[in-house]
Amino acid sequence: MARILLIEDEPSLITALKDILHEEGHRVLAVSDGETGLEWILERKPDLVLLDIMLPRIDGLTVCQAARKHGVQVPVLMLTAKGQVDDRVRGLDSGADDYLVKPFSTRELLARIRALLRRAETEEKAALHFLQLGDVEIDFVRMEARKKDKALELGAREFAMLRLLAENAGKPVSRDDFLDRVWQYQLFPTTRTVDNHIVKIRAKIEPDPRQPRWIHTVHGVGYRLDASARLNGAEEK
Ligand code: CA
């Protein structure tokens, strides 16, 4: 299950794609102009973008270029109109990962989406596998944590929350970001749930949970991992 942002202005195609993607278990956000599409790529951090080229306000190629300029690595699958061969080349030049020519089959669309999501997941795993916070070591690949020589019991959500904090080390992560990325709104938790989990994580990893050394509270926003946290730091051993 992934969060897919669909940027497409053809109503019948929007309806059809939503149905197909929902059936596959994905969550779909749909917008019909390039300007809003770009905003949503930046703000809502989807797992994958389906991007039409001919769009109102800003075309798909420009949207993709702008997203890459902002450092967004999300997989982008470009949807090009039949016969516009140049668009395929320009699409890939603009930073898209793949393209599909309309009209495409459901099977082909889903196969491309699966391939892109798999690739992104592999890259993400390779990107961050280890976090060290003082004498606490967290291995995201093995899902193991230890403090000095003692194993720490962390739940799957706690690993996921620490990972999200580590991916954004030094920057605040909002409560909504946690809900979006860790809970994915499956259980409709409240932002209070996030706070409760942070309390539990702090009790396990902080030298003094009342005076957090690693997970700082950012008032009115959420939490921030201290920028001095060591990521993938095994080479210093
Ligand atoms: Ca269009």
Side-chain angles (χ1 to χ4, degrees), residues 80-168:
T80 59
K82 195 183 175 184
Q84 291 175 283
V85 180
D86 281 356
D87 279 353
R88 303 186 198 176
V89 179
R90 290 196 295 144
L92 296 176
D93 279 350
S94 74
D97 297 275
D98 201 357
Y99 60 85
L100 262 182
V101 179
K102 295 176 187 177
F104 43 79
S105 73
T106 301
R107 187 196 267 180
E108 186 168 16
L109 172 75
L110 293 177
R112 300 287 184 97
I113 288 175
R114 273 195 297 273
L116 285 175
L117 289 173
R118 240 190 340 258
R119 199 163 90 195
E121 200 187 338
T122 310
E123 280 169 11
E124 198 186 316
K125 275 188 183 146
L128 179 67
H129 53 85
F130 185 79
L131 171 66
Q132 185 170 2
L133 308 169
D135 54 12
V136 173
E137 296 182 333
I138 297 149
D139 183 331
F140 294 108
V141 179
R142 292 165 187 266
M143 298 271 278
E144 286 172 1
R146 51 178 56 251
K147 187 171 191 170
K148 288 174 189 160
D149 289 326
K150 210 168 148 260
L152 272 184
E153 293 296 323
L154 290 179
R157 287 202 204 286
E158 292 172 338
F159 273 109
M161 290 177 79
L162 281 163
R163 185 178 188 133
L164 185 58
L165 283 165
E167 283 168 356
N168 296 282

Side-chain angles (χ1 to χ4, degrees), residues 8-9 52 54:
E8 168 64 65
D9 62 332
D52 183 29
M54 296 296 286

Side-chain angles (χ1 to χ4, degrees), residues 21-36:
L21 296 169
H22 280 151
E23 202 159 309
E24 192 73 359
H26 298 304
R27 265 185 68 208
V28 185
L29 307 161
V31 287
S32 52
D33 74 89
E35 195 177 345
T36 315

Side-chain angles (χ1 to χ4, degrees), residues 53-77:
I53 290 189
M54 296 296 286
L55 286 167
R57 302 171 87 113
I58 307 178
D59 69 84
L61 296 166
T62 309
V63 168
C64 192
Q65 272 166 356
R68 295 306 186 218
K69 263 187 202 147
H70 280 86
V72 177
Q73 297 295 317
V74 64
V76 174
L77 176 55

